[in-house]
Amino acid sequence: MSSSTNNLDVAVAGVGMHPWGKWGKNFVEYGVHASRAALADAGVAWQDVDLIVGGETVRNGYGGYVAGATFARALGWNGAKVATSYAACATGAQALDTARARILAGMSEVALVVGADTTPKGFLAPNAGERWDDPDWLRFRLLGMTNPAYFALYARRRMDLYGATQEDFARVKVKNAKHGLANPNARYRKEVGVEDVLTSAIVSDPLHLFDICATSDGAAAVLLTSVAYAERHGLGGGVKINAISTVTPTFPQTVIDMPLLSTDATNAVAAPERTFKESIGAAAYEEAGIDPADVSLAEVYDLSTALELDWIEDLQLCKRGEAEALLRAGDTTIGGRIPVNPSGGLACFGEAVPAQALAQVCEVTWQLRGQATGRQVEGARVGITANQGLFGHGSSVILSV
């Protein structure tokens, strides 16, 4: 790939995280910790930040709804402009895109993007109250469809179409657990074997407890600047964001999408060329002018082990139906052809919704700088992230050095 700057590039000046876990503290504390870590990583003073974008959390009261201002106040009012973004699991990417747009428009030079969450124990559930026009409420009320029930549908689909096995799903967990051993921000840092996964409790057939990510507390922050500002001040080690994809689906959707209860009919309009998840990565590649063959590593949203296999194909890192073969050959392990989730992924972190897409960017940044101690992908030059938020929110970020 070319190392030249495209006109949509912004620089990643600094990144920081609060370790994932179940700490029982206010989400603001986690966000402030991650923000200060990102500022220290960049060597930039808080007073120099002219924009702060917060990722909204919907389970932490009014302060979570206005997260941008909440974090600005906690860090100490400095007169910066403020914005708040929400896109479910894609919140972090949308917040990044807001900051990038302001920088590219010349309305900001130094932008801090923060996401943090404090989560309840157990499955994520809808907010209280009856909402008969809300699909996310209806799926619980009418069918009892928790998130793992959807994950199981996707897993069963993969088994039926491509011959995936429960042992394949278990191998994803084994790989990611090994990757996360050396990650100081990971919540779970323990090796597991295939038998450990297969003998853990069934949550939603064919998925076991160890196939499904937990819910966690945590935070991540990314400090963005214009490329010119970073070069002028020697920031970021040359890491740039080349693309941020926040695309929506194209009608009709022929693969069921959480929290919906059905797919779209194709009798009047033909199915689109790409599925929604395929279109997320494709838009990022097109915007960056980068080919999937150029990618050194990927951080994908492994809400379940089976979903990681889907993402590998959705991002065109192999042909459809070949992800299991890559996994079995060790190609998706650190040291393999295309390492996937060298951070350990959600298997080792759990899900902290507004922070997750930012945490992926933090990991790719450390990998591109050569700072991912104990889990480094040697020679990494290009990284891609991917996840998806409820109600049609795409999320993919491409970074390079």
Side-chain angles (χ1 to χ4, degrees), residues 58-300:
V58 298
R59 283 173 291 277
N60 290 280
Y62 202 86
Y65 298 140
V66 292
T70 297
F71 292 130
R73 180 177 180 272
L75 290 162
W77 295 121
N78 71 346
K81 296 177 182 177
V82 69
T84 298
S85 295
Y86 186 69
C89 296
T91 292
Q94 201 165 84
L96 275 176
D97 202 28
T98 298
R100 179 181 70 152
R102 293 280 187 93
I103 290 169
L104 294 175
M107 299 171 66
S108 170
E109 268 199 316
V110 183
L112 179 65
V113 184
V114 194
D117 209 359
T118 299
T119 59
K121 184 178 180 180
F123 299 146
L124 297 179
N127 290 339
E130 293 198 357
R131 296 182 304 281
W132 289 94
D133 58 352
D134 177 359
D136 192 47
W137 181 84
L138 286 171
R139 53 136 168 169
F140 285 91
R141 180 63 176 265
L142 298 181
L143 297 178
M145 286 284 284
T146 62
N147 291 7
Y150 282 90
F151 306 159
L153 290 177
Y154 302 137
R156 184 63 66 187
R157 181 177 187 271
R158 185 150 199 97
M159 295 172 82
D160 291 346
L161 290 177
Y162 309 122
T165 66
Q166 288 179 304
E167 287 77 13
D168 289 322
F169 302 153
R171 290 186 187 103
V172 174
K173 172 68 173 184
V174 171
K175 169 187 71 72
N176 288 343
K178 185 175 181 180
H179 286 176
L181 285 174
N183 193 331
N185 293 305
R187 175 179 176 183
Y188 301 104
R189 299 172 65 185
K190 180 180 179 181
E191 284 199 73
V192 299
V194 169
E195 274 306 303
D196 296 321
V197 180
L198 295 179
T199 56
S200 64
I202 286 279
V203 175
S204 189
D205 187 62
L207 298 177
H208 296 77
L209 181 64
F210 284 5
D211 284 307
I212 295 169
C213 77
T215 57
S216 293
D217 301 352
V222 177
L223 189 72
L224 297 182
T225 73
S226 65
V227 172
Y229 186 96
E231 292 175 347
R232 193 161 64 245
H233 295 276
L235 304 178
V239 177
K240 300 179 181 69
I241 288 178
N242 310 113
I244 302 175
S245 168
T246 59
V247 298
T248 57
T250 299
F251 180 85
Q253 283 188 272
T254 57
V255 178
I256 195 166
D257 195 5
M258 186 169 72
L260 304 180
L261 304 181
S262 67
T263 57
D264 297 325
T266 58
N267 56 326
V269 179
E273 178 183 352
R274 295 187 177 97
T275 68
F276 175 37
K277 287 175 64 182
E278 289 171 342
S279 72
I280 294 169
Y285 289 130
E286 182 178 358
E287 185 176 290
I290 286 174
D291 190 271
D294 294 323
V295 173
S296 308
L297 68 135
E299 281 286 319
V300 305

Side-chain angles (χ1 to χ4, degrees), residues 14-18 20 27-39 46 49 51-57 63-64 66-75 82-86 91-99 111-117 218-224 352-359 362:
V15 293
M17 292 177 63
H18 183 290
W20 261 233
F27 78 100
V28 181
E29 182 173 333
Y30 310 142
V32 167
H33 177 103
S35 298
R36 288 175 175 162
L39 291 167
W46 164 239
V49 173
L51 172 67
I52 181 165
V53 185
E56 179 182 336
T57 169
V66 292
T70 297
F71 292 130
R73 180 177 180 272
L75 290 162
V82 69
T84 298
S85 295
Y86 186 69
T91 292
Q94 201 165 84
L96 275 176
D97 202 28
T98 298
L112 179 65
V113 184
V114 194
D117 209 359
V222 177
L223 189 72
L224 297 182
V353 171
Q356 215 66 53
L358 297 175
C362 290

